[in-house]
Amino acid sequence: MDKLIPVVVIKNLAETEKIMNALKNDGINCAEITFRTDCAAEAIALAVEKFPDMNIGAGTVINAGQCEKALKAGAKFIVSPGLSEDVAKICKANGIDYFPGCVTPTEIMRALDLGITTVKFFPANVYGGLKALKALSAPFPQVRFIPTGGVNRENLEEFLAFERIAAVGGSFFVEDALRKIGEVK
Ligand code: 3PG
């Protein structure tokens, strides 16, 4: 899977292509478009249509309805801030990767029961960062993590160096990419 997952918030549909182009220009081939705005599903559909070679998924998916919309729009993976069994079931039925947010051993065990071995660790900075991930990794050798929330240019390499990290997520990827094309955010 892609190691860098930009957390994208699209406020106006018209911004979609600019943001996706900025990410591509920055060498990033992936985007997690979040259901934090009304145009999320439309933005995913547009991004999937215009950038067919990119790995475009949906984030902040917190219920079955949003998950159905995201899949209909063509999302290739689904991310949640927490764990939804409804969302997990829909993703499994559709053969789509689901990365639920899990920060406690109990949450990780629920994910494992659902057949999920890669989880989002969010908000990573609040729940103990790399130190917590290392501690959680000991009893769960089969689990890979996607730390998100408070990941930045300064700590990115440290996270990526830990072998249990599947990928890192963050909004800063989008800000950096836009800055590089002269779109200050
Ligand atoms: C997320 O939903 O994953 C976070 O809002 C991203 O956190 P960040 O803005 O600290 O990268």
Side-chain angles (χ1 to χ4, degrees), residues 102-114:
C102 297
V103 294
T104 66
T106 302
E107 289 164 0
I108 293 170
M109 286 162 64
R110 280 181 68 208
L112 289 173
D113 281 344
L114 293 164

Side-chain angles (χ1 to χ4, degrees), residues 154-165:
E154 284 68 51
N155 58 23
L156 176 66
E157 292 306 325
E158 209 185 340
F159 276 110
L160 286 174
F162 182 43
E163 70 272 12
R164 298 294 186 75
I165 301 294

Side-chain angles (χ1 to χ4, degrees), residues 81-96:
L83 190 156
S84 159
E85 294 196 10
D86 289 344
V87 171
K89 279 181 201 145
I90 294 168
C91 289
K92 197 170 182 184
N94 285 277
I96 293 277

